[in-house]
Amino acid sequence: MTSRTEATFFPPIPEAQRWLRGVAFPADRPLINLSQAAPADPPPPAMRAAMAAALEEPSSHLYAPVLGMPALRAALAEEWSRHYGGRVTAEQVGITAGCNQAFAATIAALCGEGDEVILPVPWYFNHKMWLDMAGVSAVPLPCGSDLIPDPEAARALITPRTRAIALVTPNNPCGVEYPGEVLAGFHALCAAAGIRLIVDETYRDFDSRPGAPHGLLTRDGWDEVLVQLYSFSKAYRLTGHRVGAVIGAPDLLHQIEKFQDTVAICAPSFGQKAALWGLEHLSQWKAEQRDEILDRRAAIEEHFGLLAAKGWKLLGCGAYFAYIEHPFAEGSAQLAPRLVREAGVLILPATMFTPKGDPSGDRQFRVAFANTDRAGIRAFAQRLAQVDGPLAAPGGAA
């Protein structure tokens, strides 16, 4: 008998790391690793100093309340209210051990055996993996050429087993920022169908739009439909400290508390203290980090002309990601290891973000550019432009 864990696919990041085995990269041409969407740098010095002081506090080494430190829940509720122009209370905020756990806990609270959750394609691979392991069916929602899901297309996929639609914006893997009216359309659809709208906003702090990206939290009774997920890992470089959040109805958080207590008991107390310090002291620093990421996004767009001349296409770009289409007859899963060997570039094939048999998976790649700089982005474009091979037949691209 095959377990659910055995039945799902292997995590893409460790799988991609295997392609590096036995490959030597000259000192004057090091690997350009654009595979993982996580900050490579530590938190800023001021935060590290505050964390060092927190190490001396006994409570940093003990359990916190299951749904998080009250001060952190209140601070995030205040920040969320201010940013979105709505009203969020501490009772509507739960702190989890990372945003992936926020998603897992939400699904555990909402879904039973054989239930369904609609995921736009391309999807975030960990969302699909958790649904597999939870015995919940991921229902693919294909997107158009703009990579933005359509609420009307989703309407046709809703069945009596549907419990939620899960969106990621700014999107992982595509980088696109979903317009506010699209989110409003999904909210109306979910409200009418009596299901939840899960919006993962891990990359919210790097959205190019000033102000709130949507107005969902300004609606009366917003928590009857909307569940928002957030991560402190990207904004404050706390990846190893595992602090995320779920924002939703108190009765949903009460169910999530069962999951949290069983799996992790609580998010790490030390990481929660660091996240709270960041919320209280790093607003200007966070804004500067956003500007840097937006500049790297601009660099991708500026240097992509070199690749466009070779038949590559830029399909989406934003937050940490670019989503690109290659011109070769070779599928992306076979091409990706060749790019490591021949170009010294590591990017993820779209087969890791699409259902089996989806032809777009063979044509496309995710590029996570947040951990490089303008020089690295220029070198990335130059190296890919030098890659050669038989081209796909006309009309073969997705």
Side-chain angles (χ1 to χ4, degrees), residues 219-300:
R219 302 175 180 221
D220 292 336
W222 62 264
D223 64 357
E224 297 172 5
V225 176
L226 179 64
V227 182
Q228 287 177 285
L229 311 181
Y230 182 64
S231 171
F232 293 92
S233 296
K234 308 304 187 292
Y236 301 110
R237 302 178 184 170
L238 292 172
T239 53
H241 296 285
R242 310 313 304 137
V243 191
V246 54
I247 297 96
D251 60 345
L252 175 64
L253 294 182
H254 183 62
Q255 300 306 315
I256 285 174
E257 191 171 4
K258 300 176 186 177
F259 179 95
Q260 182 86 341
D261 186 69
T262 304
V263 174
I265 298 182
C266 63
S269 297
F270 183 63
Q272 291 192 59
K273 290 187 176 185
L276 176 60
W277 194 92
L279 278 173
E280 293 175 339
H281 297 91
L282 290 182
S283 58
Q284 180 58 38
W285 179 85
K286 187 167 65 172
E288 292 167 359
Q289 298 305 297
R290 173 180 176 270
D291 290 343
E292 287 190 17
I293 295 299
L294 292 179
D295 184 63
R296 291 169 196 174
R297 169 184 175 170
I300 288 280

Side-chain angles (χ1 to χ4, degrees), residues 326-330 363 389-397:
H326 71 83
F328 303 110
E330 194 173 3
R363 308 301 321 143
L391 300 179

Side-chain angles (χ1 to χ4, degrees), residues 296-320:
R296 291 169 196 174
R297 169 184 175 170
I300 288 280
E301 294 170 339
E302 291 168 17
H303 292 293
F304 203 83
L306 184 62
L307 288 171
K310 297 287 186 176
W312 294 76
K313 296 179 182 178
L314 181 60
L315 304 178
C317 192
Y320 274 31

Side-chain angles (χ1 to χ4, degrees), residues 70-108:
L72 179 57
R73 295 174 69 186
L76 187 59
E78 181 182 350
E79 199 275 342
W80 223 254
S81 299
R82 182 172 58 252
H83 185 75
Y84 290 95
R87 184 174 184 271
V88 179
T89 67
E91 291 72 27
Q92 293 169 308
V93 175
I95 304 301
T96 58
C99 192
N100 273 5
Q101 189 178 92
F103 179 80
T106 299
I107 295 302

Side-chain angles (χ1 to χ4, degrees), residues 79-138:
E79 199 275 342
W80 223 254
S81 299
R82 182 172 58 252
H83 185 75
Y84 290 95
R87 184 174 184 271
V88 179
T89 67
E91 291 72 27
Q92 293 169 308
V93 175
I95 304 301
T96 58
C99 192
N100 273 5
Q101 189 178 92
F103 179 80
T106 299
I107 295 302
L110 293 177
C111 298
E113 182 79 24
D115 283 343
E116 300 171 352
V117 172
I118 296 172
L119 297 184
V121 176
W123 51 43
Y124 172 45
F125 50 73
N126 282 147
H127 285 178
K128 174 60 165 62
M129 292 175 70
W130 177 252
L131 294 177
D132 289 348
M133 289 187 278
V136 177
S137 296

Side-chain angles (χ1 to χ4, degrees), residues 63-76:
Y63 290 140
V66 175
L67 285 178
M69 293 168 41
L72 179 57
R73 295 174 69 186
L76 187 59

